Every structure is written in C-alpha cells, then in structure tokens.
Amino acid sequence: MRFQQPLYWIIDAVDEADQYPLLVSHLTKMQPINPIGIFFASRPVKIPPMAHRESPPRTLFLAENDTYDDIHTYVRSSVESVLPDNKETQIDVTRQILEKASGSFLWVRLALETLEHNWHTEEDIRRALTELPSGMENLYSRMLAKVQSHSPRLRAMAERILTWVACAWRPLGISELAVALQPDFTGFIHLEETVVDICGHFVSVHNSRVSIIHMTARDFLLKKSGENSPFIKSREAHTHIAETCLRHLSNDEWRRVFKQFQHPVEVSGNEKTQNRLLLAEKAHPFLGYATFYWAFHLSKAQLGSQSLGDALHEFLNGYCLSWIEAIALSQNLSYLTRSAQYLKAYVKRMSRAKGPGPFDSPVSLTFFPEQLLGVIKSWANDFVRVVGKFGSNLLQSPSSIHTLIPPFCPRESMIGETFVTNRQRALAVSGLPSGGWNDCLASLSVGDDFTASKVLAADRYLLVLVGSEGSVFVWYADTCETARVIQHQEYINHMALDDSQSLVATAGTRTFRVWDLSTGDEIHRIQRNGQALTTAIAF
C-alpha cells in the first residue's frame, strides 16, 4: 500500500521487549515502499549498530525539566477534580507532589492513587503527603510493606497473584487467573476487585486483563534488594506455573471436549473460524495459556523439583497427545516446535547441574540421571518430527494424533513406545524401520510433474523455485506448513532474498519482480530491456 506522505511510528517501552536488539534490528533493516520515520522510547539501553542506514539515528536523553510542565498539568488537573473548592490546598498538594516526583509520571500516578483514600480533612492530606516517599524504589518498598501487612491468607493470595502477574508470558484475563489460582484460592465474589485491593497498586486491571503496572515494578518484585531476598523468587514462581499448567492439561476430559471442534465451526453467517481452540476456551478459559506456555515456564523452572518432575512424567506419558491435538485445533503448529525447543533448554540446564549452580539451590546429578535427560530430549525430538512428518495431517484432522499418527511413528520413538501397543493398536503399519527417526526431518513436494531449480532457506521460510512454472513455493521453516505460492506467471531463472529476509526478488523472462514474503503481494515490477540473459540478481 502506497501513501503520498511519509509514515511515522512511535514505539514505546522498547526495553520491555523480550529481545529488544532483535526488534530494533529488524525494524531498521526494513526496505519499505514508503518513507518511514521510527521513534523509539525506552529506558537507557544499548542500541544495535545501524551502519547500513543512510542516516545515523539520533539519541535524545530526557531530563526532569523536560517532563515538568506535562506532569504539572496532570497533577493540577487531578487535584482540582478532587478538591475543586480549596485553591490554597490545591497549590500546596501540587507543589509537594512535584517536589518528590523526580520527573516520573509513574511515581505521580501511584502517589495520587495512594492519596485517593485520604482526601477527607486537611490533616489527613498533610499526613499522607508527608509519608509519601521520594523515588520509585522507596515507593515500591512502601507498596510492598502494605501487601505484607495483610493477614497470612490474604498475603499468600496476593503473593500468588503477583507471581502470575510478574512471571506469566502474557497478561492473564480475569477468568484465566481465577482458574490458575485453584485449588488453593477459590470462590471469589469479585476477583477483579480483590486483585486491586490486596496487591498494593502493583497490578492494574484493564479490559479484564491483569498486568504489572510497569517493568520496574516487576524488577523490584523479582530482584534481591540489599540483604533482603526477592519477594517473588523467579525459579520457584516458574516451577509453580509450569506445574499448574501441566496438571491442568493432564486430564482425560480434554479428548471429550475436543471432539466437538474437529471441523471448522460457523461463527457468524457463512464465516468459519480456523482456530477452534478459541471455541473450547470459552468454557475452559485457562486451556489456551496452559497449552501454549507450559514449556516456557518449565525452561525457567527450578531444577530438582520432585513435584514438577512427577507432573511432567504424568503429562508426557499419558496426556501429551491431547496437548498436541489442542495445538492442532489452534491451527498454529509453531507452538509445538517452540515447546520442543524449551524442553531442550530445560534438558541443557539439567545437564549442567553439577552440584551448586548459579541459579538454583544445590542440585545433584543423581536426581537427573543421563537416562532421564535422554528421555525428555527424545520427547522434544518427537514433537519436532511429528510436525515435519504429519503437520498437514494434524491440521486437517487434529484427532488423528490419537489413532492414525502413532502407528506411523518409529517403534523406538517415545510416541511409538508409549502409545502404540498390540492391545491399543487401531492400525497396523508394516515396513517401518526398527530404530528411531531417520535424518530426514520433513519431505516437501512441489508436485510430481515439476522440478525444483533453486532452494533458499530464511529464518522463517523455505523457498523453492520451480522456474518452468514461474512459481516460488513458500513453506514456514519451523512447521513445514505451506505458507503460499508466488506466481510470477513467466519463466523464472533466479530468485534472491533481501537482508531482512522479508522480501524476495524473482527474475523472469520479461520482468523483474519483488514480493512481500509475509503476504505474497507484489511490491515492485521492473520491465526487462532486450533479450540479455540474467546471470544473477541481488538486493
């Protein structure tokens, strides 16, 4: 899409991205049709070099004075709305807040929220202002002291909520959080109000989504301060979350639930939803989060947890096929390959645990014998192979993972050993190799009548050129699913990727064309002059 004017993007909180250098690098490597100016806002971080850019980036550092006028306007407006008839008190309250704000909007917002319940008498206001600490660290300490002053049960409840909010892959919905807190905390009258009341302003609820107020608050809760241990111990938190997810998925009920959604369901008019897992989540709100992110939390979990090991063993040996079915229902098999990578990361951490480690309490290798490490790694390999070998079958029929796919897995694979027995066999397959998986991850076909003339591998895609047909077949690299087929509609003898691997150029007999790999749209077309033979193309 072309625009007559340049585009300007403002991207806030860049430092809060999981891999901000990668985000910045990809955005600055773009080769858009329209001029784009990008403004990154962030805490001080190291920005990747951009030597290839025509103009170097400009860096501006904000001082307290730069935000003073905006903060003053915000504070004055907030105070005037609460104390409309007392001009002298308005001026005094505004002055004291600005003196302690140190240029931080977040501090001001939290301070005003703290003062909400003290707008009764002038004495109450003066006392509250005096007790307000300067600086974010001191304010967070006061907020945490309020959480810790609750009764033992309310404090435990607040700690559990903050554990999920601080360590979850993404903000949870209220209905998801209600399930995640079970069975220790149930029967909430109004969970949203409870979250706000007992979590000491560390948490905000917007559109029924629960999130941490700021990354600095998350850091405060998770990091050691002086001689004090962190309020939330990261490894223990991820252990609890991983175990909760695994226990949730280890349920015979899911096969019955998934039977209702084996085919695309009409949701409005003639429109059909492809992600059928979303339909199951309406009655089971925590199902999606547990399905997609249990392995992430496992990779971050504490080593040596017997209860987590038991939950993982039960899941892999009894319920992982239902989990694969759930991912197939979502029509996004990349979650399966991603989970396999997290499993391998967990195994890698375990293999390095030779006594006291840098992350956990003392761990002995006797708890993780080599056989156990090999079993978990074998499961991870099985998950990757299932996607490569049977991905299209899974997407077409998610329930095939229970009866049709296991007999085709090698007998010495984990799926073959665990789920294919003479008693359970619904389908007998002869001619399979006696050992495990071979070296072939997946087989991709461009059709019996065509021959591939060139293959390119990008981070996200595999591209195969069939020059005689004027086509480029594109597959997703992580799942081997067909992404699209680009039709140049004339004989092609060359293709090339740009540096960002988001565009591909094709050289035909009459035209050169540039395509967007994510959509398959044609971006540029250049007519060829004469009959000269193209020997190479490059960006």
Side-chain angles (χ1 to χ4, degrees):
M1 185 179 296
R2 295 182 179 273
F3 297 92
Q4 294 182 347
Q5 301 294 329
L7 299 177
Y8 295 94
W9 295 353
I10 299 176
I11 304 177
D12 191 20
V14 171
D15 57 297
E16 297 183 19
D18 289 333
Q19 299 183 38
Y20 74 84
L22 191 61
L23 171 66
V24 173
S25 177
H26 279 317
L27 288 174
T28 55
K29 285 181 180 178
M30 290 190 308
Q31 298 181 352
I33 302 174
N34 306 281
I36 297 178
I38 306 178
F39 178 87
F40 296 109
S42 168
R43 287 179 287 176
V45 293
K46 185 177 180 180
I47 298 298
M50 306 178 193
H52 62 284
R53 304 299 297 174
E54 294 180 2
S55 57
R58 292 183 59 196
T59 301
L60 304 175
F61 291 94
L62 291 179
E64 288 185 21
N65 292 337
D66 295 324
T67 58
Y68 180 85
D69 290 341
D70 291 332
I71 292 178
H72 181 272
T73 300
Y74 173 64
V75 173
R76 184 181 62 191
S77 174
S78 300
V79 173
E80 286 178 355
S81 66
V82 179
L83 303 169
D85 302 323
N86 196 327
K87 194 70 175 177
E88 184 177 342
T89 304
Q90 288 177 17
I91 295 173
D92 185 49
V93 170
T94 301
R95 177 185 59 80
Q96 292 193 54
I97 291 178
L98 290 174
E99 286 176 354
K100 296 182 177 182
S102 301
S104 171
F105 261 106
L106 178 61
W107 186 94
V108 169
R109 182 190 131 198
L110 292 174
L112 289 171
E113 289 180 359
T114 303
L115 291 171
E116 275 183 3
H117 305 295
N118 294 283
W119 304 112
H120 306 301
T121 67
E122 292 185 7
E123 179 63 27
D124 292 334
I125 296 173
R126 279 194 294 271
R127 185 184 301 110
L129 287 170
T130 301
E131 294 174 353
L132 268 179
S134 301
M136 291 306 308
E137 191 81 8
N138 293 328
L139 184 57
Y140 285 151
S141 295
R142 178 178 170 175
M143 290 160 54
L144 181 57
K146 182 179 178 181
V147 173
Q148 293 174 317
S149 68
H150 293 315
S151 65
R153 177 164 174 77
L154 282 183
R155 173 178 169 164
M157 185 186 299
E159 184 174 352
R160 183 63 56 79
I161 292 171
L162 289 172
T163 292
W164 280 95
V165 173
C167 296
W169 173 274
R170 59 160 174 78
L172 296 180
I174 283 291
S175 57
E176 290 177 307
L177 181 60
V179 178
L181 295 174
Q182 295 174 5
D184 297 325
F185 304 101
T186 59
F188 291 100
I189 303 301
H190 200 296
L191 179 55
E192 185 170 331
E193 291 182 1
T194 300
V195 168
V196 173
D197 287 344
I198 71 173
C199 289
H201 299 293
F202 281 109
V203 172
S204 66
V205 182
H206 182 66
N207 291 334
S208 295
R209 290 242 167 229
V210 187
S211 57
I212 200 79
I213 53 166
H214 196 264
M215 285 299 291
T216 55
R218 179 181 181 274
D219 293 342
F220 175 83
L221 293 171
L222 292 173
K223 291 183 178 178
K224 183 177 180 180
S225 177
E227 296 182 357
N228 299 322
S229 60
F231 181 68
I232 297 173
K233 297 178 176 63
S234 177
R235 293 293 189 196
E236 294 179 6
H238 284 292
T239 299
H240 170 76
I241 295 175
E243 187 175 343
T244 300
C245 292
L246 288 169
R247 299 291 186 198
H248 190 73
L249 294 172
S250 299
N251 193 324
D252 293 322
E253 177 189 14
W254 296 127
R255 286 196 68 177
R256 178 186 60 79
V257 171
F258 297 154
K259 282 182 180 180
Q260 307 170 50
F261 308 108
Q262 289 303 308
H263 304 285
V265 178
E266 189 174 295
V267 290
S268 60
N270 293 324
E271 182 183 353
K272 293 186 177 181
T273 179
Q274 294 300 317
N275 185 348
R276 286 158 271 167
L277 190 65
L278 285 176
L279 302 177
E281 287 182 68
K282 291 181 179 180
H284 307 278
F286 189 61
L287 174 60
Y289 188 90
T291 297
F292 297 142
Y293 304 118
W294 69 266
F296 163 74
H297 293 292
L298 178 72
S299 71
K300 303 288 186 181
Q302 187 175 34
L303 300 180
S305 169
Q306 185 66 55
S307 59
L308 178 57
D310 292 343
L312 180 61
H313 181 271
E314 180 185 14
F315 169 76
L316 291 175
N317 287 278
Y319 300 97
C320 68
L321 297 189
S322 293
W323 165 67
I324 294 174
E325 182 181 9
I327 291 179
L329 285 170
S330 76
Q331 298 292 290
N332 189 347
L333 296 182
S334 64
Y335 283 111
L336 192 51
T337 54
R338 192 181 306 167
S339 297
Q341 295 306 314
Y342 286 133
L343 268 179
K344 291 180 179 179
Y346 183 61
V347 169
K348 191 173 183 179
R349 284 183 56 222
M350 287 195 294
S351 65
R352 290 176 175 176
K354 300 178 180 178
F359 303 111
D360 304 299
S361 57
V363 177
S364 170
L365 271 178
T366 58
F367 189 84
F368 300 115
E370 289 298 321
Q371 183 181 7
L372 174 59
L373 301 184
V375 166
I376 298 176
K377 190 173 181 179
S378 293
W379 276 111
N381 289 333
D382 273 23
F383 297 150
V384 172
R385 297 307 186 99
V386 162
V387 172
K389 298 287 188 180
F390 310 110
S392 59
N393 307 96
L394 273 173
L395 293 175
Q396 185 177 3
S397 176
S399 62
S400 63
I401 189 62
H402 294 286
T403 55
L404 299 180
I405 291 177
F408 286 92
C409 296
R411 293 185 180 91
E412 293 185 12
S413 66
M414 297 309 300
I415 291 178
E417 289 183 355
T418 307
F419 296 104
V420 180
T421 65
N422 291 328
R423 182 173 57 85
Q424 297 173 327
R425 192 188 300 270
L427 177 68
V429 179
S430 59
L432 289 176
S434 57
W437 301 98
N438 58 28
D439 292 336
C440 179
L441 289 174
S443 298
L444 306 175
S445 174
V446 295
D448 295 337
D449 299 328
F450 307 122
T451 301
S453 54
K454 188 173 184 179
V455 177
L456 293 178
D459 289 339
R460 291 188 59 199
Y461 302 104
L462 298 173
L463 291 79
V464 174
L465 173 64
V466 181
S468 60
E469 279 295 299
S471 302
V472 178
F473 290 77
V474 184
W475 288 273
Y476 292 111
D478 56 350
T479 64
C480 298
E481 297 173 64
T482 300
R484 58 195 52 85
V485 178
I486 294 174
Q487 300 285 1
H488 192 117
Q489 295 181 333
E490 56 189 83
Y491 182 87
I492 306 173
N493 54 7
H494 290 288
M495 66 175 175
L497 287 166
D498 73 328
D499 290 340
S500 67
Q501 300 186 343
S502 60
L503 302 176
V504 62
T506 53
T509 54
R510 298 185 301 275
T511 58
F512 299 101
R513 304 187 192 186
V514 179
W515 310 83
D516 184 338
L517 277 176
S518 63
T519 62
D521 294 336
E522 182 181 327
I523 305 299
H524 297 291
R525 179 183 298 199
I526 303 172
Q527 294 294 327
R528 289 186 54 177
N529 295 321
Q531 300 298 318
L533 178 65
T534 303
T535 57
I537 59 171
F539 279 87

